[in-house]
Amino acid sequence: ALLTINPGVTVFFESNYVFEVDGFLTAIGTGAQPIIFACTNGGGWQGIFFNNCENGSELAWCQISGSTNSGVRCLNADAIIQSCVLANNSSGSGGGGIYVDNRNYPGSEILIDNCTITNNTAAGAGGGVLVWAGATGHGIPITNCIVVSNSSGSYGGGVYIDNSSYPGSEITLSDCAFTNNTSGNEGGGLYVNSQSSSISDTLMTNCSFTSNTAAVVGGAVSVHVGANKASFANCTFVQNIADPSSSTSTGYGGAVAVYGNFSFDGCSFNQNKVYSYCYDCGGGSYAGGLYLFGNGSLRNCVFQGNLCQAGSYYGCTPAYGGGVAAYGNLLAQNCIFAFNATTGNNPRGSGIYLGSGGSSIVNCTLAYNSKEGLRLNSGTATVLNSILFFNASGGTQIVGRSEEH
């Protein structure tokens, strides 16, 4: 069965009802005449539910608000959502604005484009959007979206994507803005898990992340890709925070934390912060800007004014890496690390902290960082054609074993 809703129509729900679609729904409004789905009471409604539908449904230029069971839910159904506003929806589990579970739907298509996703909440993961992907050759594109002021109780305050069980589902985010989202654990703006699947890279291009907060890991972004690769190009990260509220927690990546292979090209990290208030707990604070646990490269990137702060009490674990803390093989080329800081008990590596692996720092500038510009804890590092100037107020510029040329 096919239901078509014309531009300008308003669908009101007077009680706790669900709009369930078992066939096809085409709701395509216009910019001047959107289609509105909302409730007339203060108790909410149950959202639009695509239940094991075949392909062919589409939502475009719709405004969906006030649902208490996700604005849109797709269970084994294609999710084609374009030019829509999803606002003030909630979920007792995951995906306050949009919830997609296509793990048992091979060949599913997911497209979220030109949408505004705002003020949605989830008790679990994905305050704005949650996607459990199935095997798909279409990939998972989220493009031209504004994701603002969403919150989750665990992972992905703005968006949560998990395609860890299925190969070939490339995740693509482009031209999106993530602002003021919060999560109760990892990924204030975005959380991605694709570490168990093969050929499932994550690509992020021309995205901005501003003033997002995570309770523990990745104030803006936390990505777990394992043997796959997370690639960031021309992205900006400004004033994001990873801020553990527990005295026994360790913070990682004020802006971004990547677990697996990576590349960053033309990205900027400004005034991001990671805190830890751990007292004699074996924790600490890692990377005001970027935390890396894997192998990869930074090219043409700027790290400026980032802060890694640990507790100042005796026995507190140090702060590691004002700009970057890396564990693995790292190539940093044509990058700037300036005015970054590590503070607290025995802070280390205000520009770059290298925890392990083999690293090369090539044609980079490390200047005016609060402690040494570069700290090598373990492994090897080569510094080539680079400038280290007035780090540690003119004191020690490099600490650890290194080869300098």
Side-chain angles (χ1 to χ4, degrees), residues 90-178:
S90 63
S91 170
S93 54
I98 300 171
Y99 174 92
V100 179
D101 185 352
N102 282 346
R103 287 173 288 183
N104 296 317
Y105 178 21
S108 63
E109 184 173 358
I110 299 169
L111 172 63
I112 301 173
D113 174 61
N114 196 38
C115 292
T116 297
I117 301 163
T118 182
N119 287 309
N120 302 285
T121 63
V129 177
L130 180 147
V131 176
W132 293 95
T136 172
H138 299 285
I140 306 170
I142 298 178
T143 57
N144 302 299
C145 290
I146 296 172
V147 183
V148 58
S149 298
N150 303 283
S151 65
S152 73
S154 59
Y155 300 88
V159 174
Y160 173 101
I161 302 174
D162 190 318
N163 67 336
S164 59
S165 300
Y166 297 94
S169 303
E170 185 176 80
I171 299 167
T172 304
L173 291 97
S174 61
D175 301 291
C176 293
F178 292 76

Side-chain angles (χ1 to χ4, degrees), residues 276 278 283-286 308-322 327 341-350 353 370-372 375 377 396 399:
S276 177
C278 183
S285 225
Y286 294 82
C308 180
Q309 178 176 314
S312 58
Y313 301 103
Y314 176 79
C316 288
T317 304
Y320 302 93
Y327 291 78
T342 48
T343 64
N345 180 51
N346 194 17
R348 302 173 183 180
S350 294
Y353 176 85
S370 67
K371 299 294 287 185
E372 63 270 4
R375 176 127 185 175
N377 180 66
T396 303
V399 174

Side-chain angles (χ1 to χ4, degrees), residues 293-367:
F293 195 88
N295 305 319
S297 62
L298 308 176
R299 290 184 169 91
N300 308 304
C301 294
V302 176
F303 296 82
Q304 183 170 328
N306 301 288
L307 171 64
C308 180
Q309 178 176 314
S312 58
Y313 301 103
Y314 176 79
C316 288
T317 304
Y320 302 93
V324 173
Y327 291 78
N329 299 322
L330 170 67
L331 168 64
Q333 187 172 21
N334 302 322
C335 295
I336 296 172
F337 303 84
F339 299 100
N340 302 289
T342 48
T343 64
N345 180 51
N346 194 17
R348 302 173 183 180
S350 294
I352 304 173
Y353 176 85
L354 301 174
S356 64
S359 298
S360 296
I361 312 300
V362 182
N363 298 328
C364 292
T365 298
L366 295 87

